[in-house]
Amino acid sequence: MAISIGKISLTSKILNGKGLNKDNIYANLEALISDFEYKSYHYKDIQFRGNLNKDLFLGELKIFDTNADLSINGNISKLNDKYKVKLSTKIANLNLK
């Protein structure tokens, strides 16, 4: 099976980070992905923001590329060793080359 993901260029920040283990971790996360290669196409202008608080992750991913204009909001939570994922997506344009 061929690998479809190529190079990724990004800058990221961890803001207000606290805690060193899963029981007390807290952080706001931000990333700007300037280039994401998938199946030899380079997607541009991808933004990510998220918040990690113990067993809960809230996040948003936005892509403003010629072939992908979409946003994904969601959360991942863990309760009693089970993960729950909830996502909502708005797609204005999507062309996976």
Side-chain angles (χ1 to χ4, degrees):
M1 174 181 249
I3 297 174
S4 298
I5 296 176
K7 293 181 180 179
I8 301 171
S9 297
L10 66 93
T11 56
S12 62
K13 296 180 189 176
I14 298 174
L15 307 166
N16 304 316
K18 300 182 219 175
L20 296 174
N21 64 52
K22 66 180 180 85
D23 295 323
N24 65 2
I25 192 166
Y26 176 86
N28 292 316
L29 312 168
E30 292 181 2
L32 175 58
I33 301 167
S34 57
D35 187 78
F36 175 79
E37 184 181 357
Y38 177 71
K39 291 187 176 181
S40 299
Y41 178 79
H42 292 264
Y43 292 91
K44 308 285 185 190
D45 198 11
I46 302 169
Q47 299 172 2
F48 169 79
R49 291 180 185 254
N51 176 274
L52 180 60
N53 189 358
K54 297 181 187 175
D55 291 331
L56 176 63
F57 175 78
L58 304 169
E60 175 182 51
L61 179 79
K62 292 183 178 181
I63 304 174
F64 304 102
D65 183 82
T66 304
N67 287 304
D69 184 358
L70 61 93
S71 65
I72 302 170
N73 291 290
N75 65 61
I76 301 170
S77 59
K78 182 180 176 188
L79 181 63
N80 299 326
D81 292 327
K82 292 185 180 182
Y83 288 92
K84 180 179 177 183
V85 178
K86 184 187 262 188
L87 299 173
S88 64
T89 305
K90 292 181 184 177
I91 300 173
N93 177 40
L94 183 59
N95 180 9
L96 298 176
K97 297 237 170 203

